């Protein structure tokens, strides 16, 4: 069993067992609505502060979300534990809530949550601890290292294997935007359909993608039919832009739109990393899309 799943299971058992034990010992205390509210507020503040301290990269929103998740998890488990401890399963809901505010119950359950919580979040809601931190907690060291590398250095660093590994379209867009002169990009399928776009320029995108994809295929076939090698990439120059397009594999292609003020040699020095990073991400995200042997050979040929 995955370590994080085991931690999740043990934490839930522990939270429920504490409530069951307190209910079984008859350790309820009288608690009105005011007492419940006070405990909730104090508990929420503790979770919020501890989250900010233990995860320096967490912003206020992440800590806020973490506190809410911890709070809900503890109270739900306390309620379930109180109900389960009753022989006939008919314990008064107020009595179950009373168990949740007992000082000993609160202390034990909070300790369990603060110890196991980060691992649970890394598995269930990784956004609350951060991509890199979540990967580390899950034991995905390669992913953690790649995420940290991408955030720290952008395209100014030396990418491992000639590309920068990302794990979401948002991370890919963030990485792309660090390339000087790049105004936008479009990922499209082999049918010419837009998969993802970050293109602030107002264009007839669907038509442009379909036409570029079709023209690139026709030009490539024309060159092969006349004894030349297969087209690897297509670069168009207009008065205001450079448009770069290439097939990434048999499933996807990418278009990159650069400012016309960018030097062509600078563009060519970066498009290799951008295209390969996009290709590696798409193959990681869509593993079910098979790549044929011929496409694998084309992939090697596309490495810049």
């Amino acid at each position: 069993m995955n370590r994080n799943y085991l931690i999740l299971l043990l934490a839930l058992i522990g939270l429920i067992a504490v409530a069951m034990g307190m209910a079984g010992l008859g350790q309820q205390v009288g608690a009105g609505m005011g007492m419940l509210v006070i405990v909730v507020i104090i508990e929420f503040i503790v979770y919020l502060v501890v989250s900010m301290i233990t995860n320096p990269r967490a912003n206020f929103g992440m800590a806020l979300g973490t506190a809410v998740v911890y709070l809900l998890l503890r109270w739900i488990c306390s309620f379930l534990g109180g109900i389960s401890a009753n022989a006939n399963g008919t314990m008064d809901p107020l009595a179950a809530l009373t168990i949740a505010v007992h000082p000993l119950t609160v202390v034990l359950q909070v300790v369990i949550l603060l110890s196991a919580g980060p691992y649970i979040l890394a598995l269930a809601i990784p956004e609350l601890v951060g991509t890199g931190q979540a990967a580390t907690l899950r034991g995905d060291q390669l992913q953690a290292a790649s995420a940290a590398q991408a955030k720290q250095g952008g395209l100014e660093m030396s990418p491992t294997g000639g590309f920068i590994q990302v794990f979401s379209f948002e991370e890919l867009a963030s990485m792309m935007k660090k390339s000087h002169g790049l105004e936008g990009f479009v990922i499209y399928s082999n049918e010419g359909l837009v998969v993802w776009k970050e293109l602030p320029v107002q264009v007839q995108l669907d038509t442009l993608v379909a036409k570029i994809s079709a023209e690139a295929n026709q030009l490539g076939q024309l060159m092969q039919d006349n004894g030349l090698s297969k087209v690897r990439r297509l670069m168009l120059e207009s008065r205001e832009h450079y448009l770069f397009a290439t097939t990434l594999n048999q499933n996807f292609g990418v278009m990159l739109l650069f400012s016309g003020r960018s030097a062509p040699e600078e563009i060519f020095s970066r498009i290799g990393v951008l295209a390969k990073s996009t290709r590696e991400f798409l193959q990681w995200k869509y593993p079910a899309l098979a790549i044929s042997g011929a496409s694998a050979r084309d992939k090697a040929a596309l490495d810049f």
Side-chain angles (χ1 to χ4, degrees):
M1 180 183 289
N2 180 279
R3 181 188 65 178
N4 287 67
Y5 285 106
L6 181 60
I7 292 174
L8 171 61
L9 179 61
L10 293 176
L12 292 177
I13 292 174
L15 292 171
I16 294 174
V18 168
M20 289 180 64
M22 296 302 297
L25 294 174
Q27 295 295 325
Q28 299 91 347
V29 295
M33 186 58 65
M35 182 65 173
L36 295 177
V37 172
I38 291 174
V39 171
V40 167
I41 292 175
I42 295 176
E43 186 180 353
F44 182 83
I45 293 174
V46 169
Y47 294 146
L48 186 68
V49 172
V50 172
S51 298
M52 295 290 289
I53 294 175
T54 56
N55 187 2
R57 293 188 178 182
N59 54 39
F60 183 76
M62 293 165 64
L64 192 67
T66 299
V68 171
V69 171
Y70 286 177
L71 193 67
L72 291 175
L73 189 59
R74 192 185 83 81
W75 281 82
I76 290 173
C77 288
S78 296
F79 180 79
L80 293 176
I83 295 296
S84 301
N86 188 262
N88 55 19
T90 57
M91 175 176 277
D92 181 4
L94 181 58
L97 292 178
T98 301
I99 295 171
V101 301
H102 189 280
L104 186 56
T105 305
V106 174
V107 171
L108 292 176
Q109 289 183 327
V110 168
V111 169
I112 292 174
L113 268 177
L114 293 180
S115 300
Y119 296 93
I120 297 173
L121 292 177
L123 179 67
I125 318 176
E127 294 80 8
L128 292 181
V129 293
T131 303
Q133 181 69 6
T136 300
L137 291 171
R138 290 195 305 267
D140 301 336
Q141 298 300 330
L142 177 60
Q143 178 179 343
S146 299
Q149 186 182 45
K151 288 181 180 180
Q152 291 175 1
L155 292 176
E156 302 303 322
M157 64 184 182
S158 298
T160 302
F163 67 96
I164 299 170
Q165 194 165 15
V166 295
F167 299 94
S168 68
F169 281 109
E170 289 77 13
E171 286 186 11
L172 179 65
S174 177
M175 181 272 293
M176 289 280 198
K177 291 175 182 177
K178 294 179 181 178
S179 181
H180 179 70
L182 182 69
E183 294 189 353
F185 71 97
V186 180
I187 298 172
Y188 54 90
S189 68
N190 59 348
E191 296 90 0
L193 302 176
V194 175
V195 176
W196 185 269
K197 63 178 181 178
E198 290 282 342
L199 197 65
V201 181
Q202 296 297 321
V203 297
Q204 294 181 343
L205 189 57
D206 292 335
T207 302
L208 176 63
V209 169
K211 291 288 186 181
I212 288 291
S213 179
E215 291 296 333
N217 291 334
Q218 291 177 8
L219 285 172
Q221 190 61 50
L222 176 64
M223 293 184 67
Q224 285 187 304
D225 291 344
N226 289 276
L228 298 175
S229 60
K230 186 175 181 177
V231 173
R232 293 172 57 191
R233 54 184 179 263
L234 186 66
M235 177 73 85
L236 302 176
E237 180 182 1
S238 69
R239 184 172 62 182
E240 298 179 350
H241 297 98
Y242 290 103
L243 179 65
F244 162 80
T246 185
T247 298
L248 299 173
N249 55 35
Q250 69 186 40
N251 301 307
F252 300 104
V254 66
M255 290 195 316
L256 305 173
L257 187 67
F258 288 89
S259 168
R261 295 187 296 273
S262 301
E265 59 272 16
E266 292 182 1
I267 296 175
F268 277 97
S269 69
R270 295 194 297 273
I271 55 178
V273 175
L274 296 174
K276 190 173 181 182
S277 299
T278 304
R279 184 185 67 209
E280 295 296 327
F281 163 67
L282 291 169
Q283 291 177 179
W284 168 84
K285 185 172 181 62
Y286 303 107
L289 297 179
I291 300 177
S292 66
S295 182
R297 291 191 295 273
D298 291 343
K299 169 184 173 180
L302 282 171
D303 287 340
F304 301 89

